[in-house]
Amino acid sequence: MYRLLTKLIILLVISLILGACSGTRAFKNQSPTIERNEVYEAGRLSKNNPVNFIITTPSNKKFLGIPVGKILYETAHPDPKGQFEKWLKKKKNRQKRLEKWISQKQIDALSTYGEKFNAWLKKTGEPPAVLDSTAVEVSKKRIVQYYKNLGYYDVEVISNTEEIESQKLVLKYQIQPNKKYLIDYITAAIESSQLERLYVENREDQIIQEGAPFEINKFEEERERLFLLFRNNGIYNFQQNSIQFTAAIDSTGKDLKIPVTIRIEDIQQRINDTLVKIPYTQFKIKDIDVYIDNLDSETSLSQFTDSLAFKDITLFSKGALKYRPKAIHSGISIQLEDLYSDEDRNLTYRYFTNLKNFKYPSINYTPIAGEKEALKATILLTPRERFSLGFDLDLSHSNIQDFGIGLGGGLGIRNVFRGAELLEVNLKNTLGASRDIAQSGDQFFNLFELGADVKLSVPRLLLPFSKKDWIPPTMAPKTELILGTSLQENIGLDKQFFKGTYQFDWQPKERKRIQFKWIDLEFVNNRNLSNYFNVYRNSYDRLNRIALDYNTDPNSLDSSGNLVIPEGTSQFIAAVLNNETPLDIEDEAFKTVNTVKERLDRLTANNLILGSSFSMNFNSQESIFDNTFYQLRWKLDWVGTLLNQFLKTINSNQNELGQNILGGVSPSQYIKTELDYIKHWSLGRERVFAFHAFTGIALPFGNATNIPFARSYFSGGANDNRAWKAYKLGPGISSNINEFNEANFKLAFNLEYRFPITGPLKGGLFIDLGNVWNLWDDIEDPKMKFEGLEDLSEIAIGSGFGLRYDFDFFVFRFDTGFKTYNPALPLEQRWWAEYNFKNAVFNIGINYPF
């Protein structure tokens, strides 16, 4: 079987190479190709002119100066099946020998593989950018129209080519815009008196202005402004095509000012084969009906047998209503006696969609017969299934486990308390295998983790002892109560983890979101403390090297002369710190042992974290296709103050450090704030320059001298400084002395240029800067501390490149980072000393890092 597989692979490679070589000869372009386009405006080269996006004569995309897509396309053969047959029959007995070696079916399979490979080359590749006179003329017409849209009605465009080498051309577009036309005066001809009144009252917001350039996009913006103005002020049937702009251009070109008329005609309606104009008028909401039940094409509203009047709405259902009327009413922004408004309609859509209790709602308006300018609003709500069940399975590998398999499940229950709530219960069980765990029986799965959490989501703010709605439903308020726990076996220190969260979330504006965690509780219980030095090997190695010279107790060593874990390590640390060895407090080795002990105490200490947090998120991105936007996130945590004040008040127990303790645990106390900023600029077709900046600081005080490990900062990794692995950079200029290097102050900056290579394959060039330091905590090593602005010279710099494959629903990312400036090295060696593939770090990620 192995020999047969080898033969097939060899034959496949040979056939593909033969086909590719022949394809290159057959598909090789012989016509002149466009090396690049150059756009000149008024005689000057304009590299960033927007017309580059609309011309239809693009050059072939290049990666590092190489037209990869063009090469792939030209590598394909126009007739791969015929080429394979030709190769097969080229030698007299080749086919017979192959039939003896492998079967005819396998020979046919080789031919099919060749055809599929050629098809992939064509699909992934890019046809040569051949000079096409028709495409050039189309581009010139587009350029003319583009400049006319900007007010240059006398624009002239010519094109020419320059040969830079054999069969390679530079295509030049010469643009002479000439003078720009301006808006002279604006008059309005509006047939409806109500529309005219609205127009006059809001004229100060008009986008087109007298004396401004005559730009088409401004007229489109003005059309949209008027449309929204009328639709949000009662004109429910207003149509955008009722707005017309007329302009009179002086054909002589002497007068460059254009008078504009805004013409808005009444709506036309056919009555008895006659078109009749009906004036636009403002309509008010006079009736609101809500139908709640499963709806389909065969459902008739007459089937809703039960009705209930609540405030200003009427609720209809088939049988008893399953929702509290207030839960439905509070989300309806449409109000009786209000003018019709598209905005109120959209807010109502958003509210019921965000509930996750209903399918996309339907909202219809109909004039009420016999009443003048009156509308009836009908809202149709189709509940989702009350129960939903899901499962997930994942396989994993890490530095802790050689192989892991995770099985999880989730149960969702909607409308738990008849208020459109959502209750979610999730379970996750992971089994893993590790050769590093010594366990009797030598079973394969020797790592275990079990976790569960329960989350209740309520579509309003639940504040104790308050019935008032502090945040209106239009801001999509939500309260979440979360309880979770997890348990580990044979994983590090075998942590038990508990969490409890009581948080509020709302959206005051479309692109602004606020979250307030009123109660943020976390408890971490480390159960397997004796395994510490098996997990943190760097600390053990540092301690063991000192013990080789200064240990005086042979009972703490194994047969190889190394410290036994945990008895030997504990005995040696105690001996050093109790002055039972030749070391004294001034010795560097003594200080190292003391540092190891302090880190052991920090990482094995149980953590009780109870506090609150507030965060705001701004996002200007309009859609996933918007490549020019910014995101800003600010967060503030205030942890432990109230709890420790309470413990002081009741005179609780204290430990040997004078810290308050609760159940044997010293509650954490710190303040933490973060600022995260992302900005993207579009530089052309699929070309984006991305910038990311992050700063965060967590300062312990009161009952604490450091912050919990889980809330600290680290640097490095696939989404940070990619020239270092996660937790392997810093703090400061310390040289990666711990397995997990972390601190309480972080700066990070990232710059990345993203560009297309061919088809779904993209490229990226990046520069990452950043580091972590200790600030105002219990770390005394000056190498790890931030002591002033001069320590900004310790910011590490990494640079590199990456390849990304776009699968449409996610992006697979492979980045290579090089240490460009390593602050941990001696000053004279920091730049470029490790800029090579030997010290490169390879990162795999899903989607872009920022």
Side-chain angles (χ1 to χ4, degrees), residues 191-208:
E191 293 184 347
S192 166
S193 60
Q194 293 191 15
L195 290 190
E196 185 176 24
R197 177 179 55 80
L198 287 171
Y199 170 79
V200 172
E201 290 176 352
N202 294 274
R203 191 164 185 173
E204 61 182 18
D205 299 325
Q206 189 164 275
I207 295 173
I208 55 174

Side-chain angles (χ1 to χ4, degrees), residues 430-457:
T430 301
L431 295 175
S434 175
R435 292 166 294 182
D436 297 329
I437 302 295
Q439 195 176 67
S440 59
D442 196 29
Q443 64 234 47
F444 180 72
F445 287 110
N446 49 15
L447 304 179
F448 172 80
E449 182 173 7
L450 178 64
D453 65 76
V454 179
K455 180 170 74 172
L456 176 65
S457 300

Side-chain angles (χ1 to χ4, degrees), residues 125-159:
E126 182 184 26
V130 177
L131 181 64
D132 183 348
S133 59
T134 303
V136 172
E137 291 302 315
V138 171
S139 294
K140 289 165 66 176
K141 290 179 180 179
R142 287 188 172 191
I143 294 172
V144 168
Q145 187 58 51
Y146 172 79
Y147 275 84
K148 283 186 175 181
N149 290 345
L150 295 178
Y152 297 99
Y153 282 87
D154 299 326
V155 62
E156 299 176 62
V157 181
I158 61 173
S159 63

